[in-house]
Amino acid sequence: MERIFGRPIVTQEEMRARIRELGKQITADYTGKDFVLVGVLKGAYAFYADLARAIRIPMRVDFLIVTSRGFRAKTSGKVKLITELTEDIKGKDVLLVEDIVDSGLTVQHLLKTLTKKKPRSIKVCTLLNKPDSRTIDVAIDYVGFKIPNKYVVGYGLDYQQKYRNLPYLAVLDVEEDQE
Ligand code: IMP
Ligand code: MG
């Protein structure tokens, strides 16, 4: 059984306004740099598209497909890279775009993997941060919204691959069946 709580926790208007601010900040920070924006799919697809268009400097776009959890909402603790980058990021300034940082395992794993490709710099931008759910310490450079330790869906984020197309962010009350 699953149901979405009635009220969005981040509305479309709040999302739009915050992404505009992030875009301005990133534009200022990366002006004059050899900039690559790397999206982590599938979850970051909606945020990525809006963020990229809020950044007013030339950039390369690239994507990684990653799975960190299976059928259930709880993290499996394993991060699997399904695809590789198509751009060579050596010597470039990379910004990794995530939907949400929860335990921190995915970001930690991706930073480790991408650092081996010798970018000039690598930073992390996440739409959502759940600091109360962190099991490891990772540095996050840009955060859209800090949210409580609840399972959220919409705006790219899923529950069992559904709800990604919800235009706002909502809390999902997950009642999973017993094993
Ligand atoms: P982490 O490795 O535990 O930090 O989890 C990162 C990934 O888990 C995110 O990129 C999401 O795909 C997924 N995730 C974590 N929390 C949520 C949530 O509340 N809703 C939907 N997906 C989530
Ligand atoms: Mg993700």
Side-chain angles (χ1 to χ4, degrees):
M1 275 260 293
E2 68 207 52
R3 65 192 167 93
I4 299 180
F5 283 9
R7 287 177 67 82
I9 63 163
V10 180
T11 65
Q12 291 184 70
E13 286 68 32
E14 288 166 337
M15 200 76 88
R16 246 196 300 274
R18 184 68 188 118
I19 292 172
R20 205 175 302 136
E21 286 173 2
L22 284 173
K24 274 193 190 147
Q25 201 184 337
I26 293 166
T27 300
D29 294 351
Y30 284 91
T31 296
K33 305 251 171 83
D34 199 348
F35 185 44
V36 190
L37 194 65
V38 175
V40 183
L41 299 177
K42 300 175 200 171
Y45 84 93
F47 176 47
Y48 184 101
D50 288 344
L51 182 69
R53 286 174 294 176
I55 300 171
R56 301 300 167 88
I57 48 170
M59 66 163 82
R60 290 165 216 266
V61 303
D62 211 344
F63 301 93
L64 291 170
I65 302 180
V66 155
T67 55
S68 61
R69 45 193 83 200
F71 187 68
R72 284 168 184 275
K74 264 172 70 185
T75 184
S76 64
K78 290 195 200 101
V79 182
K80 201 165 136 202
L81 206 60
I82 310 288
T83 59
E84 270 291 332
L85 291 176
T86 61
E87 297 291 319
D88 181 9
I89 60 167
K90 191 173 177 196
K92 304 206 166 79
D93 293 290
V94 174
L95 184 60
L96 198 61
V97 180
E98 260 284 17
D99 52 354
I100 186 164
V101 181
D102 186 24
S103 69
L105 284 167
T106 306
V107 164
Q108 186 196 47
H109 178 83
L110 292 178
L111 285 175
K112 219 163 93 187
T113 307
L114 295 183
T115 300
K116 289 185 191 140
K117 297 177 187 288
K118 305 255 189 294
R120 183 171 166 273
S121 72
I122 181 156
K123 288 188 177 179
V124 179
C125 175
T126 186
L127 175 65
L128 305 166
N129 188 21
K130 273 191 203 170
D132 300 338
S133 177
R134 206 57 48 78
T135 58
I136 48 149
D137 201 22
V138 281
I140 311 293
D141 304 280
Y142 304 92
V143 174
F145 299 91
K146 182 178 149 187
I147 61 163
N149 195 6
K150 297 221 162 73
Y151 200 83
V152 292
V153 294
Y155 203 74
L157 290 99
D158 74 306
Y159 175 66
Q160 295 178 3
Q161 298 303 327
K162 288 180 291 185
Y163 309 112
R164 290 193 197 273
N165 59 322
L166 209 65
Y168 55 87
L169 199 78
V171 173
L172 188 78
D173 184 19
V174 183
E175 292 171 22
E176 288 181 301
D177 296 333
Q178 298 299 313
E179 205 92 46

